[in-house]
Amino acid sequence: MLYTALLPKWWFKVQLTHAPSEKQPQRGGRTLGEQLKAMCPTIADPAKAYYIPSWVMPGGDMQTIYLYTQHFKPAGCPVSYEREIFEFSDGGKAAIDWAQPRRDSLPESPLIILVPGIAGGSHDYYARSFIHHVSQQPYGYQVVVLHSRGCNGVDLHTPKAFHAGMTEDLREFVKHLAERRPKSPLIGIGFSLGANILTKYVGEEGASCCFVAAASVCNPFDIDTTVRAMCAPTIKNRFLYAAALTRSLISVFTSNQKVILAGEVALDAKRIVSARNINEFNEEYTVKVFGYQSAKELNVGGSCVHYLKDIQVPMLFINALDDPMCYRRTIPFDDIAKNPHLILACTRYGGHLAYFEGTSVTPWLPGQLSSFVKSMLAWK
C-alpha cells in the first residue's frame, strides 16, 4: 500500500482529452480550456493537475468499498435538506431534496441540479461531501437533488420506475426550475448512472439546453457494454458491484410491488425478484413496462455516448481508469475530442465516485467540481 509514495509524481497526472484550442468556444478572450486552466488548475493545468490516492487505499476496489461505508456516516459530512415532492405530468412522483440554507430570496443566485447514481440519493457520501463543500464560501451555491422515482422514501404512483436512459423526468424538472427561477443560472452535475442520464439529456436538448454548464462523474457512457460486463460470471460481480446494483433494483420493485403489478402490463413477480443480474431484471420488468423489445435495445438506446456529438454547452467529464464499475474501454476519448464543448479529465486512480486522498482520507472530487462550477459562472 506504500507504493503511491514510491512512484514519481508524473504518474498521477490528470490526463486531459479535448478538441484543439482553436476550435473551442471562446468568451472574454479565453477558450474553454484556458478558462478551466486558470480557475481549475488542479484538474486542468498540466503543471498542477494531479490526483494522488490515499496510500491507505490506493486501489479502485478499496476506494469504492470504503466510499460505500461512508454513506451511513452523516456526521462525517453533515448536510441538512428540505424535502419537496415533485409530481410529473403522468402522475408519477419523486423526492426533491433542497440543501439548506435555501436561497430562494436571491432570484439570480446559481442553482446546481444534482442527479445521483442508480437508486442513490442525497444521503450518499459523494453527494453530501460535494454539497457540504460547494454550499460554503467562497462558493455558497444552492444545490437541489433530483431522486429517481420509487427511491428515497417516496413510493411509486405509476408502474414505471426508472432506467439508464430515462431523461423525461429530468427534462420536466429542469423546465419547472427554469420557469420557477428564470434568472438563476442552472448547472447540472450527474454521478454514475445519473451522469449517463444527464449527459444524454444535455445532448438531446442541444442548443436549447437550459444549463450554463454541466459535469459528469464516473459516467458509464456505453450502458450495453457496461451491463454485459457486469453480467459476466466473475467473483466481483457475484458478490460485490453487480450484485449490489441488482439488489437495489429488486428492492425498488418489492417496495412498490402492489402499484407495479396493478398496471396494464403483465409481469411475473417471482421472476423479477429472482433476477440474478441487471439484464435479467430489465428483461422481466424494465423492458416490459417501458415498451422496449429487449434489454439490449433498452441499453443501447439509453447510452449517452450516442449524444455526445450534440452537446452544445460546456461539459466536464471526470473518470477514473481503475473504476471497477465504469470501465476504461467504454470511455469515448475520440468522441469527446471531436466536440469542442467537452473536456475529459481522466485519473489513473479513484475508484467509482470515491477519489479519496491523503493520510486523513478526504475526498478530492468536491473541490474539483466546485471550482468547475465557479469557473463556468465566471466565464462570460
Side-chain angles (χ1 to χ4, degrees):
M1 293 184 183
L2 295 175
Y3 75 85
T4 55
L6 302 176
L7 292 169
K9 191 174 181 180
W10 59 262
W11 183 258
F12 303 101
K13 289 190 70 166
V14 176
Q15 301 297 320
L16 296 179
T17 300
H18 53 73
S21 296
E22 60 270 18
K23 294 185 178 180
Q24 293 179 8
Q26 187 176 104
R27 300 176 193 168
R30 282 180 179 172
T31 65
L32 173 59
E34 290 169 341
Q35 177 70 2
L36 293 183
K37 181 179 179 180
M39 297 194 67
C40 311
T42 55
I43 200 169
D45 185 341
K48 301 176 182 178
Y50 297 90
Y51 166 66
I52 303 176
S54 171
W55 67 269
V56 179
M57 51 185 71
D61 290 317
M62 294 182 67
Q63 289 243 354
T64 303
I65 293 170
Y66 181 73
L67 173 70
Y68 179 77
T69 68
Q70 299 308 294
H71 292 338
F72 308 102
K73 298 179 180 179
C77 200
V79 177
S80 298
Y81 297 102
E82 178 182 326
R83 173 151 291 189
E84 176 182 325
I85 305 301
F86 186 79
E87 183 169 353
F88 299 102
S89 56
D90 68 348
K93 297 181 180 181
I96 309 298
D97 283 350
W98 292 85
Q100 300 298 296
R102 292 187 64 163
R103 296 173 173 83
D104 293 355
S105 60
L106 304 174
E108 297 183 6
S109 62
L111 178 58
I112 301 170
I113 302 167
L114 193 154
V115 188
I118 187 169
S122 58
H123 63 282
D124 289 339
Y125 185 75
Y126 62 81
R128 286 187 288 112
S129 60
F130 166 66
I131 294 171
H132 182 74
H133 193 277
V134 81
S135 62
Q136 300 184 58
Q137 295 303 324
Y139 307 106
Y141 302 138
Q142 173 75 68
V143 182
V144 60
V145 183
L146 170 63
H147 296 95
S148 297
R149 301 188 188 201
C151 299
N152 293 278
V154 177
D155 294 335
L156 286 179
H157 288 258
T158 71
K160 293 182 178 180
F162 57 88
H163 62 79
M166 183 176 173
T167 56
E168 292 83 359
D169 286 357
L170 176 59
R171 178 172 292 104
E172 192 168 340
F173 182 61
V174 170
K175 181 180 178 182
H176 166 76
L177 289 180
E179 294 173 349
R180 178 169 161 181
R181 297 179 58 163
K183 295 183 179 180
S184 289
L186 303 180
I187 292 182
I189 299 181
F191 297 86
S192 192
L193 183 73
N196 182 81
I197 293 173
L198 175 71
T199 304
K200 182 172 178 279
Y201 162 77
V202 175
E204 289 172 343
E205 292 294 292
S208 300
C209 186
C210 295
F211 291 141
V212 171
S216 153
V217 183
C218 296
N219 194 328
F221 292 107
D222 183 339
I223 300 298
D224 186 51
T225 298
T226 301
V227 170
R228 280 191 287 110
M230 283 192 167
C231 292
T234 65
I235 293 176
K236 282 186 182 181
N237 284 342
R238 184 175 180 183
F239 296 105
L240 288 175
Y241 311 117
L245 293 177
T246 303
R247 286 195 300 270
S248 67
L249 292 172
I250 293 174
S251 177
V252 172
F253 171 78
T254 56
S255 299
N256 298 276
Q257 186 169 334
K258 185 175 181 180
V259 172
I260 293 173
L261 296 180
E264 298 178 357
V265 178
L267 300 170
D268 189 327
K270 290 183 178 180
R271 291 178 68 88
I272 295 174
V273 299
S274 62
R276 295 170 296 177
N277 54 53
I278 298 171
N279 261 346
E280 287 189 5
F281 177 87
N282 282 339
E283 288 285 6
E284 295 299 330
Y285 167 69
T286 317
V287 165
K288 296 178 180 179
V289 170
F290 284 92
Y292 288 89
Q293 296 299 312
S294 66
K296 184 173 182 63
E297 181 191 15
L298 169 72
N299 295 335
V300 172
S303 298
C304 73
V305 66
H306 308 300
Y307 298 86
L308 293 175
K309 66 182 185 303
D310 301 316
I311 294 175
Q312 296 190 45
V313 299
M315 189 159 188
L316 172 68
F317 297 87
I318 301 176
N319 277 73
L321 299 181
D322 71 345
D323 190 326
M325 301 174 73
C326 296
Y327 311 106
R328 178 174 184 166
R329 63 181 178 273
T330 67
I331 300 176
F333 295 96
D334 292 341
D335 291 325
I336 288 175
K338 291 176 182 177
N339 187 331
H341 299 282
L342 312 182
I343 290 187
L344 167 66
C346 271
T347 58
R348 194 179 294 271
Y349 304 103
H352 189 67
L353 304 175
Y355 285 98
F356 292 105
E357 64 178 349
T359 55
S360 57
V361 194
T362 54
W364 175 80
L365 270 176
Q368 315 312 314
L369 293 172
S370 298
S371 296
F372 172 73
V373 172
K374 187 175 182 179
S375 71
M376 292 296 96
L377 292 171
W379 192 40
K380 299 177 181 178

